[in-house]
Amino acid sequence: LYQALSLCPNLTVLDLSYTSTSDFAFTGLIRNHSASKLEYLNLSGCGWISDLTLERLAKAFKSSAKTSTNTSSEISKCFSSSSSCNNRNHEKPRLCCLRLSGCHLITDKGLRYVS
């Protein structure tokens, strides 16, 4: 998965639900600008996903936003629980849907990264 993310920088939808995906898959998101256009990410049931993945996602989106004119308050809006995504009119990266049901290793600390 790590290699696939690196090779697909324009990926907008990724459903990894109920797979054995771990934090390692999200290594190097910033360095490779991987997932910078990701709008929907489903990690439901991925028991090996932890706060580290959420930290990496948050840093990757902040890194992508630094190349545009976004302020830090706009960056915090990257993550939301809305089920629909209307990014077609936005130039900034924006993860509209992040599903984490059944990711029991995620704590409040991890959720703070993406809030």
Side-chain angles (χ1 to χ4, degrees):
L1 181 61
Y2 167 75
Q3 189 174 19
L5 287 173
S6 299
L7 296 173
C8 301
N10 294 320
L11 192 66
T12 59
V13 175
L14 185 58
D15 187 343
L16 298 170
S17 57
Y18 302 96
T19 64
S20 59
T21 301
S22 69
D23 295 326
F24 179 76
F26 296 92
T27 303
L29 288 178
I30 297 171
R31 182 177 57 248
N32 299 326
H33 301 289
S34 303
S36 63
K37 295 184 181 179
L38 199 59
E39 297 174 1
Y40 175 91
L41 178 59
N42 188 349
L43 297 172
S44 298
C46 294
W48 298 108
I49 294 295
S50 73
D51 296 343
L52 183 58
T53 292
L54 298 186
E55 180 181 13
R56 288 174 177 164
L57 285 170
K59 287 180 178 179
F61 275 86
K62 286 180 183 179
S63 175
S64 296
K66 284 181 183 177
T67 61
S68 68
T69 58
N70 293 336
T71 64
S72 58
S73 64
E74 289 173 316
I75 293 168
S76 66
K77 295 176 188 175
C78 288
F79 299 93
S80 80
S81 61
S82 76
S83 59
S84 63
C85 187
N86 189 12
N87 274 354
R88 308 300 181 251
N89 299 324
H90 301 285
E91 292 180 20
K92 61 188 173 206
R94 185 169 175 229
L95 185 61
C96 296
C97 185
L98 177 60
R99 302 204 184 272
L100 300 169
S101 173
C103 297
H104 302 292
L105 297 178
I106 292 179
T107 67
D108 290 346
K109 179 183 176 184
L111 294 176
R112 279 192 289 278
Y113 288 121
V114 294
S115 64

